[in-house]
Amino acid sequence: MGIQDIIEGKKQWRAHMARVKALPRDYEIVYKEIQRYFFKVGPVGLADGSLLSGILDFFEEGVAAGKGVLELIGNDVAAFCDDLVKDSRTYADIYQESISGEPGTAEK
């Protein structure tokens, strides 16, 4: 990854976060909780940015439709996140495997 790629990535991230800040406050709070959850235990492929961008698009559509954020995702943010990544390998899986010493034991 060259310096130009890093600069471009930062520009994209800043633009993404500007969109987040433009959301109504309740949406912004829930988005940041989702983001925090995914950064902690989220899918290994999170770095490509499509998951968080997709959630942001979904939230912007909800705002445009006049819906509250909890109407879109339900009352349990963690359950919403888990459902989105239920078929993906997560950092939590990797951690569980590292402490158990056996690959693939995270499902047990």
Side-chain angles (χ1 to χ4, degrees), residues 19-30:
R19 288 175 57 201
V20 170
K21 289 179 193 255
L23 292 170
R25 186 75 178 133
D26 58 337
Y27 274 86
E28 182 181 357
I29 290 168
V30 170

Side-chain angles (χ1 to χ4, degrees), residues 10 16 18 20 28 38-39 42 44 52 56 60-62 69 86 94 101-102:
K10 284 188 177 197
H16 178 86
V20 170
E28 182 181 357
F38 282 147
F39 285 169
V44 175
L52 292 176
L56 184 53
E60 288 171 337
E61 290 169 12
V69 68
K86 66 182 172 198
I94 293 170
E102 296 178 39

Side-chain angles (χ1 to χ4, degrees), residues 74-91:
N75 291 323
D76 190 341
V77 175
F80 173 78
C81 294
D82 288 341
D83 194 45
L84 286 176
V85 298
K86 66 182 172 198
D87 297 325
S88 303
R89 184 169 164 86
T90 66
Y91 290 111

Side-chain angles (χ1 to χ4, degrees), residues 55-75:
I55 292 169
L56 184 53
D57 292 341
F58 179 60
F59 279 11
E60 288 171 337
E61 290 169 12
V63 170
K67 294 184 177 182
V69 68
L70 296 181
E71 288 179 74
L72 295 177
I73 69 162
N75 291 323

